[in-house]
Amino acid sequence: MKRSITIMAVFFAACLTLNAQDAKQETPAVNPNAAEITFNKTVHDYGTLFVGGDGNCEFEFTNTGKEPLILSSVRSSCGCTVPSWPREPILPGKKETIKVKYDTNRMGPINKSVTVLSNAKNSPVVLRISGSIVKKTEESAVPEKAMTSGAAPVAK
């Protein structure tokens, strides 16, 4: 009985050792020279916009790493948000922008995300846009001055 317990204990210890070694091998080493993406801001608040207003914004970033930065994908959480980004490698120290256009013909609150995937050591990065789209009311429209017939000059 003691022998079977000892064999099981040795087998269990060997399994734990193998699992620990497998876990170490699965974790890739971080390249200290890898590209790194640093944004000036990660949230853009539109505030309150009227339907059909300007839904464009930009997220400026810098490659603060030591190798060229390559953006492989920039995806939005919704079809109403369309990002555009540079397709060429961004050299270390260089600045670029990701442009985002939100469809302001949709009324209501804005709370969308844009996920940036790259070869940077801090990838992925999630950018956010927020705000609210409201209908333009009569009070917010520019008032027109009504002309009365008595105020118009009369031709003689």
Side-chain angles (χ1 to χ4, degrees):
M1 180 82 164
K2 284 185 179 181
R3 184 172 180 182
S4 60
I5 292 175
T6 305
I7 292 172
M8 288 180 69
V10 169
F11 177 74
F12 182 69
C15 287
L16 287 176
T17 304
L18 288 174
N19 286 340
Q21 288 174 353
D22 287 345
K24 288 179 185 176
Q25 290 175 357
E26 290 176 13
T27 307
V30 176
N31 178 358
N33 296 322
E36 186 170 1
I37 189 167
T38 304
F39 283 89
N40 289 356
K41 64 178 180 178
T42 56
V43 177
H44 178 81
D45 186 0
Y46 287 102
T48 302
L49 294 173
F50 291 118
V51 171
D54 182 15
N56 294 305
C57 72
E58 293 184 354
F59 292 92
E60 186 178 272
F61 64 92
T62 305
N63 178 3
T64 54
K66 295 180 181 178
E67 292 182 0
L69 172 68
I70 299 168
L71 303 182
S72 54
S73 175
V74 179
R75 289 181 269 150
S76 64
S77 60
C78 173
C80 59
T81 307
V82 180
S84 61
W85 67 94
R87 305 286 204 249
E88 65 282 344
I90 297 103
L91 297 176
K94 297 296 179 184
K95 293 184 180 196
E96 277 292 345
T97 58
I98 293 174
K99 297 175 183 172
V100 176
K101 179 166 178 50
Y102 180 76
D103 179 7
T104 58
N105 289 320
R106 300 168 183 242
M107 285 189 12
I110 304 168
N111 187 15
K112 305 297 178 189
S113 65
V114 176
T115 304
V116 181
L117 299 173
S118 70
N119 66 332
K121 57 186 170 187
N122 60 328
S123 179
V125 176
V126 178
L127 307 174
R128 296 206 157 285
I129 59 171
S130 62
S132 182
I133 308 293
V134 296
K135 186 176 181 180
K136 200 172 207 176
T137 61
E138 294 299 321
E139 293 173 7
S140 64
V142 176
E144 293 184 23
K145 188 173 183 180
M147 293 193 69
T148 59
S149 60
V154 178
K156 294 185 183 179

